[in-house]
Amino acid sequence: MTSQDDAAAGAWQGLWKRRKVPTASRAYRCQCGRPVFFRNSTCLACQTPLGFEPHRAQVLPLAPGAQQGLWTLQGDTGGALYRRCQNFHSAIGCNWLVPVATATSGRPANPKGLCVACNLNRMIPDQGNLRNRVLWRDTEVAKRRLVSQLLVLGLPVASRVNEDPARGLAFDLLHPTPDKPQVLTGHADGIITLNVEEADSAMREQVRTRMREPYRTLLGHFRHEVGHYYWDRLVRGTDWHADFRDLFGDERQDYAAALRNHYEQGPPAAWAQRYISGYASTHPWEDWAESWAHYLHIADAVDTALSFGLDADDVEIDHAPFGPEVLWLPHDPGAAPFLEFINAWVQLTRVLNELSRSMGQPDFYPFVLPRAVVGKLQFIHVLVSEARSASNQNQNENAC
């Protein structure tokens, strides 16, 4: 990959100190100038309708179209038309927009009228149950955050339900029932299953404490499980597979036996020197998924910080920065900006952890990045950058 490709494909990682501009802003404003947020469908200040345009990664003010139920983006002279997601009036109140014309959307129109995120759902919990509707709503908030980031990173996001049945992604969001009392969160062949009981904060905290986990969130679950999916898409059978085994280990070892060993004996004593979490030490697949989740955590948190003007240069924290010796590819053209990004993250999280403690809350980021993990994060970054470069090239070819 050339330095030009790296700059285009992974620009966000060097922006913290260089241009201080996020890849995709997480700070949005209405046409009246007031701030609005990712979940808003109406500006509370001026009552302007709002919608999230997923391919622009923006919450934007809307104007009525020529027909009822159609919308245009205020100030857009291109004439693009949108509908609200079919789930706008459901329990989840999805505020994402669905392009009406294929030429506008860059992808085939969805006959069900669902947005990019909702179209990934294969199964949802029984909506005849009020509690299920609440759990589904909270689950979808996290899932939309995930999908919006995947789109910004240029990763392939196609529904296994009706777009790409062979290699696509889908979600089964399930609630235990008397006939099926156990729902296990996990990934298998492009299908991510999530127990929506995880949206119950009290239940999730009980599990977090029982499992001795420092961090357990819905968004963390989604980012971890989608990591397994992208291992299949980006690593398995590719030129990166041998490098993966050098860094993470040989995934051909018995996965079921590794899980049993982890739950019976726990992680090895020195796990913190090589892994981001105890669970990551279970098996190379779990090491990848945990590292992948943290890559997404860090990338989105940095974008959000930049969006609101938070700058690591203003942080006064003694910090021995990571150097190129910790990297997987220290001579990669993007190595220096990647290190800037990681070191800025460490400084930022130390301050945010102190702020959390000042409010009597758990640490914002209760993890330590070992040197070995920084190399793994760079490996993931390079793969994501290549995927984004390929996505941009495909879009340019389709536009010609």
Side-chain angles (χ1 to χ4, degrees):
M1 185 169 60
T2 67
S3 58
Q4 290 86 353
D5 288 338
D6 186 81
W12 60 264
Q13 83 277 12
L15 295 178
W16 184 285
K17 292 187 177 182
R18 298 187 177 198
R19 287 166 41 207
K20 297 187 172 64
V21 176
T23 299
S25 178
R26 288 294 190 179
Y28 316 109
R29 289 192 179 275
C30 179
Q31 53 85 26
C32 69
R34 298 294 295 273
V36 294
F37 301 94
F38 183 59
R39 296 169 57 186
N40 288 159
S41 57
T42 303
C43 174
L44 299 181
C46 70
Q47 304 304 307
T48 296
L50 305 170
F52 182 77
E53 211 292 353
H55 300 291
R56 300 190 186 198
Q58 285 285 310
V59 175
L60 299 169
L62 306 178
Q67 302 177 31
Q68 186 175 3
L70 296 184
W71 301 89
T72 62
L73 305 178
Q74 288 199 19
D76 181 15
T77 60
L81 291 174
Y82 298 86
R83 297 185 189 275
R84 287 199 178 277
C85 176
Q86 188 68 28
N87 280 330
F88 177 71
H89 295 292
S90 73
I92 67 174
C94 179
N95 69 335
W96 284 33
L97 300 173
V98 180
V100 171
T102 301
T104 305
S105 66
R107 61 172 62 206
N110 180 349
K112 294 184 178 180
L114 297 172
C115 71
V116 176
C118 290
N119 193 43
L120 297 173
N121 287 344
R122 191 175 72 158
M123 299 180 69
I124 62 172
D126 177 14
Q127 294 299 285
N129 181 302
L130 175 60
R131 186 166 184 271
N132 278 355
R133 295 200 293 271
V134 174
L135 295 175
W136 184 42
R137 178 198 66 197
D138 294 345
T139 299
E140 287 288 347
V141 169
K143 198 194 84 186
R144 289 198 295 272
R145 184 83 182 199
L146 167 78
V147 175
S148 69
Q149 185 184 20
L150 299 178
L151 293 171
V152 165
L153 291 175
L155 292 165
V157 180
S159 175
R160 205 174 190 89
V161 177
N162 55 23
E163 292 180 325
D164 187 349
R167 303 187 72 198
L169 174 66
F171 293 88
D172 286 348
L173 309 177
L174 306 178
H175 188 274
T177 59
D179 58 320
K180 295 182 179 179
Q182 189 176 37
V183 175
L184 297 179
T185 294
H187 166 267
D189 196 27
I191 307 297
I192 291 175
T193 301
L194 186 112
N195 184 346
V196 296
E197 281 286 346
E198 287 281 350
D200 184 316
S201 298
M203 189 281 288
R204 191 172 63 251
E205 178 62 18
Q206 290 176 358
V207 176
R208 188 194 69 79
T209 302
R210 185 173 70 249
M211 301 293 288
R212 299 179 180 178
E213 297 173 340
Y215 171 93
R216 187 181 182 96
T217 67
L218 282 171
L219 186 54
H221 281 318
F222 278 126
R223 285 174 170 163
H224 175 100
E225 299 304 338
V226 87
H228 289 299
Y229 168 73
Y230 283 111
W231 187 88
D232 288 342
R233 291 295 305 265
L234 304 180
V235 177
R236 185 175 64 179
T238 71
D239 292 341
W240 301 106
H241 206 146
D243 291 318
F244 165 84
R245 287 176 177 164
D246 288 342
L247 277 170
F248 294 88
D250 192 335
E251 81 288 351
R252 291 171 293 188
Q253 63 183 272
D254 191 320
Y255 180 70
L259 283 179
R260 284 195 304 272
N261 182 70
H262 174 79
Y263 287 119
E264 291 174 2
Q265 302 183 27
W271 69 263
Q273 298 177 18
R274 297 176 52 202
Y275 303 98
I276 191 61
S277 68
Y279 189 63
S281 68
T282 303
H283 186 275
W285 279 337
E286 299 304 340
D287 190 12
W288 161 271
E290 285 285 271
S291 300
W292 175 277
H294 280 262
Y295 178 83
L296 296 190
H297 290 333
I298 295 169
D300 196 17
V302 167
D303 257 359
T304 301
L306 289 171
S307 299
F308 288 92
L310 299 181
D311 186 353
D313 287 346
D314 297 330
V315 172
E316 296 182 2
I317 290 288
D318 288 334
H319 165 55
F322 290 115
E325 70 280 357
V326 306
L327 295 178
W328 166 60
L329 285 181
H331 301 297
D332 183 77
F338 177 80
L339 275 178
E340 289 179 6
F341 162 72
I342 290 294
N343 286 317
W345 170 248
V346 172
Q347 290 179 290
L348 178 67
T349 53
R350 288 187 179 182
V351 173
L352 293 175
N353 282 346
E354 289 300 325
L355 287 172
S356 291
R357 294 165 190 166
S358 73
M359 293 295 292
Q361 295 293 326
D363 283 358
F364 169 84
Y365 187 71
F367 300 93
V368 175
L369 290 178
R371 296 161 63 91
V373 170
V374 176
K376 296 172 185 177
L377 292 175
Q378 189 202 17
F379 176 78
I380 292 170
H381 162 71
V382 171
L383 266 66
V384 170
S385 298
E386 183 182 75
R388 185 174 184 179
S389 180
S391 175
N392 289 341
Q393 183 176 352
N394 290 337
Q395 290 179 9
N396 292 335
E397 290 174 354
N398 291 336
C400 294

